Amino acid sequence: MTTATLQKSTRQLFTEQLPNILSKHGIKNRMAGPRIDKVSLNMGVGRAIADGQILNVVSEHLTMLAGQKATITKAKKAVANFRSRIGVKIGCRVTLRGERMWSFLDRLINLAIPRIKDFRGLNPKGFDGRGNYNLGLREQALFHEIQLDKLEHNQGLNITICIKNSTDPISYDVLKALHMPFRDAATAAAAK
């Protein structure tokens, strides 16, 4: 059984807009063009050093957001200022590929980002020089999967969209084609 939707999915938009992006940047071979490879979600929980129960709750939330089990990360170095030692659990992460990745991108662009308070657009300087885009959300409550009555504390979420065979301008065009709401120069100047 299929359900009819009024808007195209993120994957359909990418497939339709890819020939335009390839011709704009002079790429003749479709296989040499950009591809969204994976989306990495990361939550660093510094408070988990003092209270280990927080990490379990955050890990459950990330598992609900991603649709697959989150991996708990441990400290690789001891840092005295943060009271961390080697092997202490300090966060959790998930890497999404395939259908789960496209589903998450669809929910991020169409549901979570429009719920950000006082939103003026995403910073177009979030590219890392290799075509990957990084953004951070201040709270995980923007997603509909998180039940607000069970939410005891808000936690930030780092999202990295990894794009293969790409440079920063090509990645910008790919994400813009997926309707990622970047802030333009006029909005950035008005915000200062």
Side-chain angles (χ1 to χ4, degrees):
M1 183 174 123
T2 60
T3 58
T5 59
L6 296 174
Q7 64 185 20
K8 297 178 182 177
S9 72
T10 307
R11 188 177 212 163
Q12 290 171 333
L13 278 172
F14 177 74
T15 308
E16 288 177 2
Q17 295 295 325
L18 188 60
N20 299 337
I21 295 167
L22 294 177
S23 64
K24 179 180 178 183
H25 293 282
I27 302 170
K28 294 188 171 135
N29 187 352
R30 185 180 177 97
M31 295 305 287
R35 288 192 312 264
I36 299 179
D37 184 39
K38 63 185 175 181
V39 173
S40 299
L41 309 176
N42 180 24
M43 285 184 168
V45 188
R47 294 174 295 186
I49 295 171
D51 184 13
Q53 255 341 74
I54 293 174
L55 192 60
N56 295 334
V57 174
V58 170
S59 177
E60 288 175 15
H61 288 187
L62 192 57
T63 300
M64 280 191 289
L65 289 180
Q68 69 187 41
K69 185 144 174 61
T71 304
I72 294 178
T73 56
K74 297 179 179 180
K76 294 180 182 178
K77 291 183 178 180
V79 180
N81 288 343
F82 298 125
R83 297 188 185 115
S84 70
R85 295 194 171 107
I86 296 174
V88 174
K89 297 176 183 178
I90 56 168
C92 53
R93 66 183 172 95
V94 172
T95 301
L96 302 174
R97 289 184 170 87
E99 198 58 44
R100 287 188 180 135
M101 173 190 72
W102 289 108
S103 173
F104 179 80
L105 281 174
D106 203 19
R107 287 181 286 132
L108 174 72
I109 294 168
N110 297 318
L111 297 175
I113 291 177
R115 293 181 73 185
I116 296 174
K117 196 183 233 182
D118 296 332
F119 183 67
R120 291 188 178 93
L122 296 174
N123 189 356
K125 294 182 180 179
F127 293 97
D128 65 353
R130 295 185 177 126
N132 303 320
Y133 184 69
N134 300 295
L135 73 126
L137 300 177
R138 292 178 191 257
E139 55 186 358
Q140 78 269 31
L142 297 171
F143 292 92
H144 292 281
E145 291 85 5
I146 303 297
Q147 297 172 350
L148 295 177
D149 55 340
K150 294 184 179 179
L151 187 67
E152 296 172 5
H153 57 277
N154 280 324
Q155 180 64 39
L157 173 66
N158 297 328
I159 302 168
T160 302
I161 302 170
C162 299
I163 303 175
K164 270 188 170 181
N165 302 335
S166 185
T167 60
D168 290 351
I170 296 173
S171 293
Y172 178 81
D173 289 341
V174 167
L175 294 177
K176 195 74 171 162
L178 297 179
H179 301 299
M180 190 75 89
F182 289 109
R183 102 174 53 117
D184 57 346
T187 309
K192 288 183 181 179

